[in-house]
Amino acid sequence: MTDTEWDGARYDDAAGFVTDYGDSVVDLLDPRPGERILDLGCGTGHLTATVADAVGSEGDTLGIDASSEMIAEARAAHPDLRFDCVDATAFQADEAFDAVFSNAALHWVNDQDAVAERVAAALAPGGRFVAEMGARGNVASIVAAVRAELRDRGYDAADPWYFPTVGEHATLLERHGFAVRSATVFDRPTDLDGPDGLREWLAVFGDSLFAPLSDDERAAVVAVVEDRLRPERYDPDSETWTADYRRLRFVAVRDESASRQT
Ligand code: BEZ
């Protein structure tokens, strides 16, 4: 995972849309009563709770996240549910899951082979892996504006997230014994409310982009990025920024007939 400092309360405040949009990924998961489901990269745990409601008392859910701040927030908000602070590349299931679910988390992980390998190992045969993540080109205008300003200031700008094409990610899943049942990419322009919406988004999500900068220089870069993006991404009438989100959504099944090439 990248070295972002998470603040769960601020995350829920500035990025509540992550959970709101995630409801339709839960629909794609289609959790059924009695199932055991892992929420990988559960953040503040609100979607874990939605899944837990669907599987009911005869089912089971576990939310995992690499951030102890997120897990603390999830436990406080949902004290009846199970959450563990563990990295997606390292977790081990005591008992097989019927499904692994992940919303807006996979793109934070550097070692995608390790995640796919861990998910495959955690699933029962025929178990499903249902996820949404950033696709190639996700938030491209924001990343390009930050990187351009960092380069002008002499910094070697980082490329912190994994935003694959369908082909790249489906191939990776197949390498780890999954049969990909569906994989789609779509644009999802995402509103960031208020004149400070972009600034807040960068404060919550941008740590890894700004890693080498002091607080003062980071603030100066953010101001330049706002100026660069305002003409195309800010509507002064509604006081709304629009981030150019692009999503990759997939359903894959652990396929026992496929040979693993790990
Ligand atoms: C996303 O959910 O697509 C995302 C989140 C943080 C940074 C970049 C992208």
Side-chain angles (χ1 to χ4, degrees):
M1 291 268 184
T2 48
D3 49 1
T4 295
E5 274 184 40
W6 291 108
D7 172 336
R10 188 173 195 182
Y11 177 86
D12 275 347
D13 222 31
F17 61 83
V18 176
T19 300
D20 295 343
Y21 281 117
D23 282 338
S24 63
V25 191
V26 176
D27 291 343
L28 187 65
L29 170 69
D30 189 19
R32 295 160 217 151
E35 284 194 317
R36 270 177 59 73
I37 298 187
L38 175 72
D39 182 359
L40 188 155
C42 63
T44 49
H46 302 315
L47 292 174
T48 321
T50 305
V51 173
D53 277 349
V55 300
S57 54
E58 64 278 35
D60 194 17
T61 57
L62 172 65
I64 64 167
D65 203 287
S67 158
S68 54
E69 292 86 358
M70 288 295 201
I71 289 296
E73 197 74 22
R75 285 180 177 147
H78 307 286
D80 298 339
L81 300 182
R82 291 193 301 136
F83 295 99
D84 273 351
C85 184
V86 56
D87 195 283
T89 60
F91 78 92
Q92 286 196 316
D94 298 337
E95 205 184 319
F97 288 94
D98 298 303
V100 173
F101 165 82
S102 183
N103 180 54
L106 289 172
H107 45 241
W108 293 97
V109 182
N110 296 325
D111 189 347
Q112 290 292 324
D113 279 302
V115 182
E117 195 262 323
R118 291 291 81 218
V119 173
L123 280 171
R128 55 208 197 279
F129 183 16
V130 178
E132 182 175 306
M133 64 198 294
R136 178 70 53 84
N138 191 40
V139 293
S141 70
I142 301 174
V143 174
V146 173
R147 287 165 68 89
E149 181 58 19
L150 289 179
R151 270 194 305 271
D152 285 354
R153 290 167 181 254
Y155 291 105
D156 194 9
D159 195 359
W161 300 299
Y162 170 73
F163 297 143
T165 63
V166 169
E168 279 167 352
H169 205 66
T171 303
L172 181 135
L173 291 168
E174 286 170 359
R175 230 178 18 242
H176 291 276
F178 287 97
V180 177
R181 293 286 167 80
S182 69
T184 39
V185 168
F186 58 98
D187 287 325
R188 195 200 67 203
T190 297
D191 288 349
L192 310 174
D193 294 336
D196 291 337
L198 178 60
R199 178 174 294 244
E200 262 304 299
W201 188 90
L202 287 167
V204 172
F205 293 116
D207 280 359
S208 39
L209 274 175
F210 296 111
L213 273 61
S214 68
D215 288 351
D216 282 352
E217 197 165 17
R218 176 170 172 159
V221 172
V222 168
V224 172
V225 167
E226 285 178 324
D227 288 346
R228 284 199 183 155
L229 293 179
R230 194 170 284 110
E232 57 163 319
R233 302 241 145 246
Y234 184 66
D235 175 10
D237 295 331
S238 62
E239 298 193 323
T240 303
W241 291 87
T242 304
D244 48 344
Y245 272 61
R246 180 173 295 160
R247 317 310 285 165
L248 167 59
R249 227 174 231 205
F250 65 83
V251 177
V253 170
R254 185 184 145 186
D255 180 1
E256 283 317 282
S257 65
S259 60
R260 294 202 194 157
Q261 301 162 24
T262 48

